[in-house]
Structure formats: C-alpha cells, structure tokens
C-alpha cells in the first residue's frame, strides 16, 4: 500500500485540520497516511485510528507573528524542521501533500522548503491541497506581483498537482489567483470538502429537538456573536420551543468562555460547550444554524441543508474570504448573511424568527471533494507506477 505524508498547519482556527482530516478519511481506504500537525492539539478531536499522527512543537499566529508555547520561536523552528525531515526519512512516502502552501502559509517556508527539496530529490510526488479562496488582504500591485511570481516558481520547482477544493461553477481559482493560467501543473477541482455524519464514531444521545445550533469554528473571533445569542435567549424562550446548543470552539480565550458560561447558566433554553466532535449530528435535524462563515461550517450548512444565519468573521485576515463565500451563496438563496449591526437582541430575534419560518435551502453545489481528492491522488500514484515500469 502506498504512503502519503500529509502536512497540516493551522495558525488561528481549526478549519484546516477539519478539512484535512475529512480528506484523510477517504485516503485511508487506499493509502497509509501519516498526518503531520503543526498547530495546537485539540482535545476530543477525532482522527481515524489507522492514521499515524505526528505533532510538531506547536506554532500559532497572533497579530501577524508566529507564537510558540513556552519556548522561543527560533528554537521551535529548528526543532520542527529537523523533526519534519526525520519523519519523511522514516515514513518514506510516495506522495507529500502540503495544505495551502505555497499559495498561503508562507511563514512555514522555513520547514516546508527543505521538505520539498528532500521530496524532489527522492522523486516523490508533491501535491497542494487548496481551499476555494486564497486570502485577499490588501496588497500593493508590486507586492501582489511578487507573491504570484513566488508561488509560480515554487509550483514549477516542486509540485505535480494542485487540488482546489471548490466547485468552479461557484468559485474558480482564477478569481483570486489571476496567474492560474501560468501554473506548470494541473489544477484539479475536487468539489467542496464536506463532513459526513458517518465520521462520528459515537453519536451523542442527549440531543433535543427542536433545536438551533450556534458555532464559531475555532473560537478566537466568535465571542460577539455568541454573546448576542445568549442575550437574545429570553426573547427566544418566550416565542419558540427550541433549545439552543452553543459551541465556543477550543481556542476561545478563557475569559470570554467564562463570560459566556455565566450568561448561559441563567437561560434554561441554552446549552454551552467548548467543542464537540459530533457537530454534524447536532446540525442534522436542526431547524437553524447560526455561525461564522468559515469553509467547514459553511460546507456543513450546505451538506445538511439546514436554514442558516452566517456572520462572516470579524477577523481582519479572514473577513475577505468569509464575506466573498457567504455573499455568493446568499445570492443563490442557500444561506442568509448577518451584518454586525444585527446583533442587538430585538434585531437578532427578528432574523431568527424570519429564518425559522422560511423554506429549507436546496442547491446543486458539488460537495464530494474528499472522495474526489482520494481518487485523483490514487490516479497520480498509479500513473507514477506505470511510468516507472
């Protein structure tokens, strides 16, 4: 059985890990997989047991700078680079997958470029796993040109395939990376990667109906939305029978979590938790999802076809991506977008009641990204075998 080394780094939220793990669930049917994780470990997060998991010393990002836990960033970089190369030599993969790099995550070039050099020398296939939208922070024309030239050069040097986890009818790579035509390898659209109910090994038994589910991904930027939901709870209790399940995310600061906990304990129609590996179980059969607009949460909404209210993240480095995705889906009538000024109790309650009485969304957006990723990588590796004979 061929081997895949899958590198995943999340710096602020947990979306990259969620999407990568869902892809890996399809890969393990035909490959041995080693998942290298560069972010902070997440308690209760479920990775298929047949996967070899390697945790590098964790790095996260704050205010644009890398932060290490209880060590200097310089020493962590040295340790990570060496550990990553050691894993490569010991695992001896047939294919290396880098999540997002070189299109983003360039702060990790200190360890990824040596890995890619080693893979190239060993004639190992290299693949980029790329979500639908690249960050579009404001950048000067010269800066954007330099960035695109760097990406093109690194793809030319190292990459055999770019997998774009998108439906091109909704979002093409060209729209956020104008130099797509100049890439020297294939860009393969897999469709969006959506979680499935089957990923839950043990389903929670205490989910009540009717229900509303509120979630904010990793949690670093979701406090204002969840606070507004706690404050609107008395109005909801007077008008609807729903229980509201709130998930703050594992990375919400302790002070914010404790503040929400204090508010939630006063409201009998609220249940608050930090994290669940069974979010899809809560969404299936729910009457409404209220959330930020990250990739995975949005795909959960599309997959379950639950009514939704989406507030694109207030985080400066995520706002463009989430607003673009949510706005396009709103134009199709698939989701409904909340604006920051709609978080007052009366306004939010009105939006919730309006959505609960609206029709469930329907769409034909391609959501088989995980399965198609596994198929295309298997095809790539089989092609390598054929060429070597």
């Amino acid at each position: 059985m061929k081997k895949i080394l899958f590198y995943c780094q999340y710096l602020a939220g947990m979306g990259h890990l969620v999407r990568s793990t869902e892809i890996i669930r399809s890969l393990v049917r035909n490959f041995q997989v080693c998942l290298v994780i560069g972010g902070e470990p997440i308690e209760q997060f479920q990775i298929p047991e047949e996967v070899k998991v390697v945790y590098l010393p964790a790095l996260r990002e704050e205010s644009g700078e890398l932060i290490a836990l209880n060590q200097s960033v310089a020493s962590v970089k040295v340790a990570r680079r060496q550990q990553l190369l050691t894993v490569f030599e010991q695992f001896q993969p047939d294919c290396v997958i880098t999540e997002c790099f070189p299109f983003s995550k360039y702060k990790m070039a200190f360890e990824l470029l040596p890995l890619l050099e080693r893979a190239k020398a060993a004639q190992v296939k290299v693949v980029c796993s790329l979500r639908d939208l690249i960050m579009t922070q404001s950048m000067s024309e010269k800066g954007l040109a330099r960035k695109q030239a760097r990406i093109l050069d690194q793809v030319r040097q190292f990459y055999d395939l770019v997998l774009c986890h998108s439906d091109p009818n909704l979002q093409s790579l060209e729209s956020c990376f104008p130099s797509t035509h100049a890439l020297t390898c294939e860009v393969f659209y897999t469709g969006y990667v959506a979680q499935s109910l089957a990923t839950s090994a043990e389903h929670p038994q205490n989910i009540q109906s009717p229900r509303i589910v509120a979630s904010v991904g990793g949690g670093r930027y979701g406090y204002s939305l969840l606070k507004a939901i706690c404050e609107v709870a008395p109005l909801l209790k007077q008008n609807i029978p729903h229980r509201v399940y709130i998930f703050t995310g594992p990375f919400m600061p302790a002070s914010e979590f404790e503040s929400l906990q204090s508010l939630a304990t006063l409201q009998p129609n609220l249940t608050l938790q930090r994290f669940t590996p069974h979010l899809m179980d809560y969404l299936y059969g729910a009457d409404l999802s209220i959330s930020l607009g990250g990739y995975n949460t949005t795909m959960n909404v599309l997959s379950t076809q639950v009514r939704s209210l989406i507030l694109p993240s207030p985080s400066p480095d995520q706002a463009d991506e989430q607003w673009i995705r949510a706005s396009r889906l709103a134009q199709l009538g698939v989701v409904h977008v909340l604006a920051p000024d709609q978080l007052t109790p009366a306004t939010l309650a009105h939006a919730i009641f309006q959505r609960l009485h609206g029709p469930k969304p329907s769409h034909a957006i391609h959501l088989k990204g995980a399965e198609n990723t596994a198929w295309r990588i298997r095809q790539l590796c089989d092609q390598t075998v054929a060429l070597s004979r």
Side-chain angles (χ1 to χ4, degrees), residues 39-88:
E40 298 174 56
I42 299 172
E43 188 178 352
Q44 294 184 291
F45 190 87
Q46 294 179 345
I47 297 170
E49 61 182 16
E50 59 266 53
V51 175
K52 176 181 173 63
V53 182
V54 175
Y55 286 95
L56 302 178
L59 287 172
R60 69 176 188 272
E61 188 176 39
E62 291 183 7
S63 303
E65 298 295 327
L66 292 178
I67 303 293
L69 302 177
N70 305 317
Q71 299 179 66
S72 72
V73 172
S75 64
V76 166
K77 282 185 173 182
V78 171
R80 283 173 59 116
R81 181 166 54 239
Q82 184 55 55
Q83 185 179 359
L84 189 56
L85 292 175
T86 299
V87 170
F88 178 88

